[in-house]
Structures are given as C-alpha cells and as structure tokens.
C-alpha cells in the first residue's frame, strides 16, 4: 500500500513537470514578445498552476509557478484524494533573432499557499 501511494505521488509529480513544460511552451509562443502578468497568470491557471512571481525586463521574463497533480492515497481507512505540489522557475530570454527560449528549473521548496 505504501509503495503504491509513493508511486501515485511520483506519477503526480511527473504530471506537474509535464504541466510546467506545457506552460513554458505556451508562454514562449505568446505573440509580441513576453506576455504581461495577467496573460501569464491565465496561462498558468490553464495548466493547473498558480503564478507566484513575475519579473520582466527588456530581454528576459522570469516567473515562478506552483503546479499540482492529484493522486489517490490509500490507507486502512479508505481512499482519499491528495495533491502533490511542485514549483518551477521558468526563465525566458530572447535568443538569436529575438526568439524567446525557455529554461525551466524545479525549486526545492514549494510552499502551499
């Protein structure tokens, strides 16, 4: 049972990584350069994320987003639904020809707010 719960949680965290990659692709593909804070917030929410920070300069955009994945947690009392949280820092920089490129890093700490 414990191994199954750990596996379920690990799979949920894998889903958060997929959501973060999808989020980064969508932010990178935004027209007219780096999107504004409200647009980024909307993109994060579409990917089960919550925008925690937004910092924009002329040639970069840095965001921190908390994503979650739901999973089943089984105990002797039954099945409950839990969430695994992971925060990612996504940094977009204008590369060659002005095309933004994303770098995504998971953060060690991810406080649930």
């Amino acid at each position: 049972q414990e191994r199954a719960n750990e596996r379920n949680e690990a799979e949920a965290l894998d889903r958060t990584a997929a959501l973060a990659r999808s989020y980064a692709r969508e932010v990178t593909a935004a027209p007219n350069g780096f999107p504004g804070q409200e647009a980024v917030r909307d993109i994060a929410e579409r990917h089960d994320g919550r925008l925690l920070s937004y910092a924009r300069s002329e040639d970069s955009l840095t965001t921190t987003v908390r994503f979650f994945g739901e999973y089943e947690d089984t105990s002797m009392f039954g099945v409950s639904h839990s969430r695994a949280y992971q925060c990612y820092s996504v940094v977009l920089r204008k590369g060659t020809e002005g095309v933004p490129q994303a770098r995504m890093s998971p953060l060690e700490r991810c406080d649930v707010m």
Side-chain angles (χ1 to χ4, degrees):
Q1 217 172 15
E2 189 172 326
R3 279 191 185 173
N5 290 339
E6 289 172 359
R7 185 177 58 248
N8 290 346
E9 183 176 11
E11 289 170 359
L13 288 171
D14 287 345
R15 286 191 297 278
T16 67
L19 290 167
R21 286 190 299 272
S22 181
Y23 159 82
R25 279 192 301 271
E26 189 170 340
V27 172
T28 302
N32 304 323
F34 301 131
Q37 187 168 354
E38 285 306 310
V40 170
R41 186 181 318 282
D42 291 344
I43 293 168
E45 288 174 0
R46 281 197 298 274
H47 296 281
D48 290 336
R50 180 170 182 212
L51 182 64
L52 300 179
S53 72
Y54 177 96
R56 182 176 169 176
S57 70
E58 190 173 309
D59 62 348
S60 72
L61 170 64
T62 302
T63 63
T64 302
V65 181
R66 184 186 72 223
F67 296 94
F68 71 89
E70 293 184 320
Y71 65 99
E72 288 187 351
D73 197 11
T74 306
S75 70
M76 62 187 205
F77 302 109
V79 175
S80 62
H81 293 276
S82 297
R83 287 183 174 180
Y85 291 92
Q86 181 66 59
C87 292
Y88 288 87
S89 170
V90 179
V91 179
L92 276 71
R93 293 198 188 285
K94 290 185 181 174
T96 57
E97 301 170 17
V99 177
Q101 297 181 343
R103 189 187 72 217
M104 188 179 81
S105 316
L107 301 177
E108 287 293 316
R109 293 201 41 186
C110 187
D111 297 325
V112 177
M113 294 178 210

